[in-house]
Amino acid sequence: MALLIRNGEIVTASTRAIADIRCDGETITAIGRDLEAPAGAEEIDASGKLVFPGFVDPHTHIHLPFMGTFAKDTYTTASRAALVGGTTCFIDFCIPERDEDPRVALETWRAKSDGQSACDYSFHIAVTRFDDAVADALREIVREGITSFKVFLAYKGAFGIDDEALYRTLALARSLGVLTCAHCENEDAIALEQARLLAAGETGPGAHHESRPPIVEAEGVHHLVTFAELTGAPVYIVHLSCAEALDIAVRAKHRGVAVTVETLIQYLLLDKSWAERPNFEGAKYVMSPPLRDATNQRVLWDAIRHGAIDVVATDHAPFDFADQKTMGRDDFTKIPNGIPSLENRVELLYTHGPAAGRIDLHRFVDVASTQPAKRFGLFPRKGSIQVGSDADLVVWDPARRRTITASEQEMNVDYNPFEGFEIVGGADVVTVRGEVAVRDGAFVGTIGRGRFVAREPNAVG
Ligand code: URP
Ligand code: ZN
Ligand code: ZN
């Protein structure tokens, strides 16, 4: 299998030049002008187009047993969605039951994904309980190339862990050189606020964000960075949504705590008014931390531009409106939390980022591809265009235009939170280790080509 992408404008996190890219087998073998095509190579003319490294989404929930139901995508539907959107690798969360051996949970996640994905993927392992047996299992899992942990400071009674478990998890992570991701919200405060609101008769989706105000997230971030500072472990704050939480994270960064900050495309473009839509439609927009007041969006975009926010991900968690979100029709605490966006992250970020002048093209590539790859031990295999890197490439046509609609999406969910949003630019061709998986914007890939990617324990916080 050989490929020559001619005359594209190659844009990485730090460079930009018109050149050809030659791929032999699964890797990039040459970059330069007027390259000779290898025998039998497919040639793709990228004149007038941009060529990006495949985008990496480090925060997805494909297999997710959660709140009495399951997220809707399979690794097949999710990988098709990822690829048409330009994402060539995602990192999914394997979340053991509290009393389950993490290795057994991992077998479940592997059984769901092996042979089912069209793009590459990896896993983070969640720590939902900590004892010596779990620590042994985690050491083994890290040796297998799953080099990031996840802790939940929220979801009381489900995935959430206490402070002793948090401390011990971070101490182990530090000793193994792995990065710990954390969902930062104060779970006790949320439980009490939920009970107060329900008792006051506030049962609709709009009460969800009332029960989890910004200070509750800020407290969660403060809590995490305190333990990170204490243990010396690098941490990765997932789905940071608001100015109050960002302020705490930035202060920690400034005093030398190894903190990486992720925000989501949802927080950049949607605000809490979407969760207040009538006729229970707001349930489509219930996620945690919740959508915030619109004033936060400017703060988050500025933080991306200035480098305080490192990564833009999706937290893709698809639940159908018709028969899953409605589980919480009479009680907002029972609405499955999550907003799908794996398919749309890159095009939305491009449209509202570089195409709108909010960030430049390099920063766009950095936060959506290079930084996720670097932070999670995938770089330079992923997240870059250089000789020796995996030939995961996105030929991007800046002239494409479309309107997002659920009726045309690959994601296996009955709505799209960005329905009707106008898009500028889009992926023409996407390759997975040298094989064309998207052509003219449509999926033409191979289910099963996607492989589990073992990662290095080189945590950068
Ligand atoms: O609402 C969300 N974020 N659902 C997915 C689970 C999580 O907290 O990441
Ligand atoms: Zn979370
Ligand atoms: Zn998540």
Side-chain angles (χ1 to χ4, degrees), residues 59 61 64 66 150 152 155 159 183 238-239 264 267 286-289 315 317 319 337-339:
H59 187 161
H61 301 279
L64 176 66
F66 188 44
K150 168 73 180 286
F152 292 90
Y155 303 132
F159 310 139
H183 176 136
V238 296
H239 51 41
L264 306 179
Y267 300 133
V286 165
M287 67 176 302
S288 296
D315 191 9
F319 296 101
N337 286 199
I339 302 182

Coordinates of all heavy atoms in Angstrom, one line a residue, residues 59 61 64 66 150 152 155 159 183 238-239 264 267 286-289 315 317 319 337-339, ligand 1:
H59 N -10.9 12.1 24.7 CA -12.0 11.9 25.7 C -13.3 11.5 25.1 O -14.1 12.3 24.6 CB -12.2 13.3 26.5 CG -13.1 13.2 27.6 ND1 -13.1 14.2 28.6 CD2 -14.1 12.3 28.0 CE1 -14.1 13.9 29.5 NE2 -14.7 12.7 29.1
H61 N -16.6 8.3 25.2 CA -17.3 7.2 25.9 C -18.1 6.5 24.9 O -19.2 6.9 24.5 CB -18.2 7.8 27.0 CG -17.5 8.6 28.0 ND1 -16.9 8.0 29.1 CD2 -17.4 9.9 28.2 CE1 -16.4 9.0 29.9 NE2 -16.7 10.2 29.3
L64 N -20.2 2.6 27.4 CA -20.4 3.3 28.6 C -21.6 2.9 29.3 O -22.7 3.3 29.0 CB -20.4 4.8 28.4 CG -20.6 5.7 29.7 CD1 -19.5 5.6 30.7 CD2 -20.9 7.1 29.3
F66 N -23.9 3.5 32.2 CA -24.0 4.8 32.9 C -25.4 5.2 33.2 O -26.3 5.1 32.3 CB -23.3 5.9 32.1 CG -23.1 7.2 32.8 CD1 -22.6 7.3 34.0 CD2 -23.3 8.4 32.1 CE1 -22.4 8.5 34.6 CE2 -23.1 9.6 32.7 CZ -22.6 9.7 34.0
K150 N -8.0 7.5 35.3 CA -9.1 8.5 35.4 C -9.7 8.4 36.8 O -10.0 7.3 37.2 CB -10.1 8.2 34.3 CG -11.5 8.9 34.4 CD -11.3 10.4 34.0 CE -12.7 11.1 34.1 NZ -13.6 10.8 33.1
F152 N -12.9 10.1 39.2 CA -14.1 11.0 39.2 C -14.3 11.5 40.6 O -14.4 10.8 41.6 CB -15.4 10.2 38.9 CG -15.5 9.6 37.5 CD1 -14.9 8.4 37.2 CD2 -16.1 10.4 36.5 CE1 -15.0 7.9 35.9 CE2 -16.2 9.9 35.2 CZ -15.6 8.7 34.9
Y155 N -20.2 12.1 40.7 CA -21.0 10.8 40.6 C -21.0 10.0 41.9 O -20.5 8.9 41.9 CB -20.6 10.0 39.4 CG -20.6 10.8 38.1 CD1 -19.6 10.7 37.2 CD2 -21.8 11.5 37.8 CE1 -19.6 11.5 36.0 CE2 -21.8 12.2 36.6 CZ -20.7 12.2 35.7 OH -20.8 12.9 34.5
F159 N -19.2 6.1 40.3 CA -17.7 6.0 40.0 C -16.9 6.8 41.0 O -15.7 6.7 41.0 CB -17.4 6.6 38.6 CG -18.2 6.1 37.5 CD1 -18.7 7.0 36.5 CD2 -18.6 4.8 37.4 CE1 -19.4 6.5 35.4 CE2 -19.3 4.3 36.3 CZ -19.8 5.2 35.4
H183 N -12.3 14.2 36.6 CA -13.6 14.9 36.5 C -13.7 15.6 37.8 O -13.9 15.0 38.9 CB -14.8 13.9 36.3 CG -16.1 14.5 36.3 ND1 -17.1 14.2 35.4 CD2 -16.7 15.5 37.1 CE1 -18.2 14.9 35.6 NE2 -18.0 15.7 36.7
V238 N -10.2 17.0 33.0 CA -11.1 16.8 31.8 C -12.3 17.9 31.8 O -12.6 18.4 32.9 CB -11.7 15.4 31.8 CG1 -10.6 14.3 31.6 CG2 -12.6 15.1 33.0
H239 N -12.8 18.1 30.7 CA -14.0 18.9 30.5 C -14.1 20.1 31.4 O -15.2 20.3 32.1 CB -15.3 18.1 30.4 CG -15.5 17.1 31.5 ND1 -15.3 17.4 32.9 CD2 -16.1 15.9 31.5 CE1 -15.7 16.4 33.6 NE2 -16.1 15.4 32.8
L264 N -14.1 21.4 26.1 CA -14.9 20.7 25.1 C -15.5 21.6 24.1 O -15.8 22.8 24.4 CB -16.0 19.9 25.8 CG -15.6 18.9 26.9 CD1 -16.9 18.3 27.5 CD2 -14.6 17.9 26.5
Y267 N -18.7 23.4 25.3 CA -18.6 24.6 26.2 C -18.2 25.8 25.4 O -18.5 26.9 25.8 CB -17.6 24.4 27.3 CG -17.9 23.2 28.2 CD1 -16.9 22.3 28.6 CD2 -19.2 23.0 28.8 CE1 -17.2 21.2 29.4 CE2 -19.4 22.0 29.6 CZ -18.4 21.1 29.9 OH -18.7 20.0 30.8
V286 N -28.0 18.1 28.6 CA -27.6 17.8 30.0 C -26.3 17.0 29.9 O -26.3 15.9 29.4 CB -28.7 17.1 30.7 CG1 -28.2 16.5 32.0 CG2 -29.9 18.0 31.1
M287 N -25.3 17.6 30.5 CA -24.0 16.9 30.7 C -23.4 17.5 31.9 O -23.8 18.5 32.5 CB -23.1 17.1 29.5 CG -22.6 18.6 29.3 SD -21.5 18.8 28.0 CE -20.2 17.6 28.5
S288 N -22.3 16.9 32.4 CA -21.6 17.4 33.6 C -20.1 17.5 33.3 O -19.5 16.6 32.8 CB -21.8 16.4 34.7 OG -23.2 16.4 35.1
P289 N -19.5 18.6 33.8 CA -20.1 19.8 34.3 C -21.1 20.4 33.3 O -21.0 20.1 32.1 CB -18.9 20.8 34.5 CG -17.7 19.9 34.6 CD -18.0 18.7 33.8
D315 N -15.7 14.6 25.0 CA -16.4 13.9 26.0 C -17.7 13.2 25.4 O -18.8 13.2 25.9 CB -16.9 14.8 27.1 CG -17.4 14.1 28.3 OD1 -17.3 12.9 28.4 OD2 -18.0 14.8 29.2
A317 N -20.6 11.3 24.5 CA -21.4 10.4 25.3 C -22.8 10.5 24.8 O -23.6 11.3 25.2 CB -21.3 10.8 26.8
F319 N -26.6 9.6 24.1 CA -27.8 8.9 24.6 C -29.0 9.4 23.8 O -29.1 10.7 23.6 CB -28.0 9.3 26.1 CG -26.9 8.7 27.0 CD1 -25.9 9.6 27.4 CD2 -26.8 7.4 27.3 CE1 -24.9 9.1 28.2 CE2 -25.8 6.9 28.1 CZ -24.8 7.8 28.6
N337 N -26.3 11.7 31.6 CA -25.4 12.9 31.3 C -24.6 12.6 30.1 O -23.9 11.6 30.0 CB -24.5 13.1 32.5 CG -25.1 13.7 33.7 OD1 -24.4 14.3 34.5 ND2 -26.4 13.6 33.8
G338 N -24.6 13.6 29.1 CA -23.7 13.5 28.0 C -24.3 14.1 26.8 O -25.5 14.2 26.6
I339 N -23.4 14.7 25.9 CA -23.7 15.3 24.7 C -22.8 14.8 23.6 O -21.6 15.0 23.7 CB -23.6 16.9 24.8 CG1 -24.5 17.5 25.9 CG2 -24.0 17.5 23.5 CD1 -24.4 19.0 26.0
Ligands
URP1 O1 -21.9 14.4 31.2 C1 -20.9 13.8 30.9 N1 -19.8 14.4 30.9 N2 -21.1 12.4 30.6 C2 -20.1 11.5 30.4 C3 -19.4 11.1 31.7 C4 -18.4 12.1 32.1 O2 -18.6 12.7 33.2 O3 -17.4 12.3 31.5

